[in-house]
Amino acid sequence: MSAWAVALMAGALVGAGPQEVPGVSGVEDAPVQIEDVEVSRRRLRDEVEHFVENVAAPPPGRGLARWHYALCIGTVNIEQRVAQPLIDHVAGVAASYGLRVGAPGCQPNVVIIFTDNGSGLASTLVEAEPQVFRSGWSSQLDRGARALQLFQSADVPVRWWHVSMPVVGATGQRAIRMPGDVDPIFVPGEGLVNKGRPIADHMNKVIIIVDLAKTEDFLLSELSDYLALVALAQIDAAGDTSRHETVLNLFSRPGSVHGLSDWDRAYLASLYGAYSERINSHDHASSMTREIRRADQKAEGGVKN
């Protein structure tokens, strides 16, 4: 059974494999402007650190994973007339940060499942195919048993589960042993000196479950932006984002946001604009702070970096 057979249990896969999105500018061509940033440099860094601390959710001891391979988005249990605009929108957001998008017919690595019982479906899928969600031979690929329990039991409109893989940054080869491996894994430079910097963390797959009854009052464009963020980044479903402008508040503060905010865009721009090797939450906060300042200075016509 393929890794995505679990998704097919919910119905026939619809709209997998969007077309490449032409004409979408890269990160460098789309600076992010943060409205009304009238705070000191120290205050801005504090706010960014708080945001990243509450949003970022890598597996314990790992860095923040990013998509390295082409993104292929599939939907389940939703009509094509709704599925295709959603897929195209998520693909467009991905392309705007330099990600490749799979051609039609590609094998989905992002599956978005629509249902009228989110927690029930999540529990059914985990019980039927537990190895799809958690590996029995490594604890380095996901957030662990407690997070998986929350994925199943939380009373939320949208839930998600990320699986990533640590790789050798220079070669893209796996940096951990898997069942059947005989030879040792060689990681050049691994150790205390560089704290494992040669390692990168690549996103492997994302399962997203959308509860139709809890999302029917929201615009498709708003929901699509929400899904784009949780598809592109390892987001903490239990994080406190109440003091920030973010699409993650879409359901907790209806009407306060209408899609990806400037903070969300800065978060993604700094995540995908950083060096290709391991990035932790502290590094990400520093990068995001620079992104916000750069965008603000550019908006004001400044020339500082």
Side-chain angles (χ1 to χ4, degrees), residues 232-255:
L232 300 183
Q234 294 165 312
I235 299 297
D236 189 349
D240 178 15
T241 58
S242 58
R243 76 195 229 188
H244 299 286
E245 291 300 319
T246 169
V247 73
L248 296 173
N249 295 330
L250 180 64
F251 305 113
S252 60
R253 291 163 45 193

Side-chain angles (χ1 to χ4, degrees), residues 165-182:
M165 175 65 70
V167 302
V168 179
T171 64
Q173 296 178 324
R174 285 185 289 103
I176 59 174
R177 292 173 61 85
M178 295 179 66
D181 285 344
V182 176

